[in-house]
Amino acid sequence: MIEKFWQKCLPYIFVAPAMVFMAVFTLYPLGNMIYLSMTDWVLMSKTKNFVGLDNFIYIAQRADFLNALGNTFFYTFWTVLTLMVAALVFAVLLYKNTRLNNLVRTAMFTPHVIALLSVSMIWSWLMNEDSGLLNMLLSAVGLPTSRWLNSSDTAMASLVLVSWWKSVGYYTLIIFAALQGIPAEIYEAAELDNAGALNRFLRITLPMISPQVFLCLITMTIGSFKVFETIRVMTAGGPGKSTQVLVYYIYNTAFGMQFKIGVASAAGVVLLVIVGLLTMLYFLVLSKRVHYQ
């Protein structure tokens, strides 16, 4: 009797440390953020007065919040689009196991293991308007230089480029691993039917790797909405708040000159809701097109 009871409890005992960790570091902070979003708490104050939805109404009327929200969607859209297309293209091009392809795959994956803070500092130097390596190379070949991070017209595109360089190798390897699992007999049968390369990709390759593509799409979107270190190091939200995204707005509101924890928590709840709704939208719209073997 005791042995059967122990066998039933054993799985829960093994899971308990992870559940406690999640409760302490995920569920409690999440609940506390929602609570603080309905208070007027300022960091230096001991009082927390309940204000209901006033913080949400306040940020909805703030031009800087709406600007940060628009910048976040812009950054996410172009980052996810370029990363997904590039990962698919590179995975297909590097599919064959040759020495050159193995070397290229390793080189592409290397940036993923480098700390994002280090990547941001390196690219800040590369994109320096006066002494950066990129402008030096452009000048050497007779092309016009760019202001990169110092212009509101190119700053956000420069950040998308850095994110692309950092992550493209990781997602390429995920798609590449999915391609390795497709049976060769399917392609042989398609060739016997005189199916073209594009037709094979759309009707065989893409459906067979759709679970991995779906996973990449969700992780890319969530990661793009959480971008912070790159902007903090490279642009600090400038020039002229052209690169201020939602997470950086939350950071400035909570720990900048304002110390408005209640307002920052309300912006955090908005971010949580947006990411949750987008994830649900992905599942509702795209999950029917995902083919599991």
Side-chain angles (χ1 to χ4, degrees):
M1 186 70 177
I2 297 177
E3 184 178 353
K4 290 183 178 180
F5 177 76
W6 175 253
Q7 290 178 352
K8 290 182 179 180
C9 292
L10 192 60
Y12 298 99
I13 295 175
F14 287 140
V15 174
M19 298 301 293
V20 171
F21 184 89
M22 186 177 70
V24 173
F25 294 102
T26 302
L27 298 180
Y28 170 73
L30 180 62
N32 194 45
M33 179 185 68
I34 297 174
Y35 162 70
L36 291 176
S37 69
M38 299 182 184
T39 68
D40 62 352
W41 185 39
V42 179
L43 188 61
M44 301 303 177
S45 174
K46 295 182 179 180
T47 60
K48 301 177 184 177
N49 299 316
F50 183 80
V51 295
L53 300 178
D54 288 356
N55 288 329
F56 295 94
I57 298 173
Y58 172 78
I59 61 175
Q61 298 172 346
R62 296 280 301 180
D64 52 353
F65 172 79
L66 298 177
N67 173 69
L69 192 60
N71 288 339
T72 304
F73 276 103
F74 180 88
Y75 175 87
T76 300
F77 174 79
W78 287 108
T79 300
V80 172
L81 178 64
T82 55
L83 270 178
M84 183 59 71
V85 173
L88 287 170
V89 171
F90 286 137
V92 172
L93 293 177
L94 302 174
Y95 176 72
K96 293 183 179 180
N97 282 319
T98 63
R99 287 187 176 182
L100 179 60
N101 286 351
N102 291 336
L103 179 63
V104 173
R105 287 197 297 266
T106 302
M108 289 180 62
F109 183 76
T110 301
H112 178 70
V113 301
I114 303 175
L116 188 55
L117 181 63
S118 301
V119 171
S120 302
M121 295 178 66
I122 292 171
W123 277 95
S124 294
W125 170 72
L126 292 174
M127 292 179 172
N128 187 280
E129 183 179 359
D130 300 320
S131 58
L133 180 61
L134 294 182
N135 277 347
M136 291 174 60
L137 293 175
L138 291 174
S139 298
V141 296
L143 295 175
T145 59
S146 174
R147 297 189 63 192
W148 299 109
L149 303 173
N150 296 328
S151 172
S152 58
D153 296 329
T154 57
M156 186 61 79
S158 301
L159 294 175
V160 172
L161 174 63
V162 174
S163 177
W164 184 91
W165 180 84
K166 174 77 166 61
S167 305
V168 67
Y170 171 73
Y171 292 110
T172 298
L173 283 186
I174 292 178
I175 303 299
F176 171 77
L179 291 175
Q180 296 283 63
I182 301 177
E185 295 81 3
I186 299 179
Y187 288 113
E188 293 174 359
E191 290 180 0
L192 291 176
D193 292 336
N194 295 322
L198 181 60
N199 203 18
R200 291 199 302 269
F201 176 78
L202 294 177
R203 296 183 177 274
I204 298 176
T205 305
L206 201 55
M208 294 290 286
I209 64 173
S210 56
Q212 290 75 19
V213 172
F214 186 59
L215 170 66
C216 290
L217 183 61
I218 293 177
T219 54
M220 286 176 188
T221 303
I222 296 175
S224 298
F225 267 94
K226 297 192 303 179
V227 62
F228 174 76
E229 296 95 330
T230 306
I231 293 174
R232 180 70 180 89
V233 173
M234 300 183 68
T235 64
K241 294 186 178 181
S242 60
T243 60
Q244 187 177 44
V245 294
L246 201 50
V247 175
Y248 195 75
Y249 172 85
I250 295 171
Y251 166 78
N252 273 339
T253 305
F255 305 109
M257 297 299 294
Q258 303 180 49
F259 298 108
K260 296 180 178 179
I261 303 298
V263 177
S265 298
V269 172
V270 172
L271 176 62
L272 174 67
V273 171
I274 291 174
V275 173
L277 289 177
L278 281 176
T279 304
M280 291 175 59
L281 183 64
Y282 283 155
F283 275 95
L284 289 174
V285 176
L286 300 178
S287 60
K288 296 179 181 179
R289 299 180 178 273
V290 177
H291 305 277
Y292 296 97
Q293 298 182 18

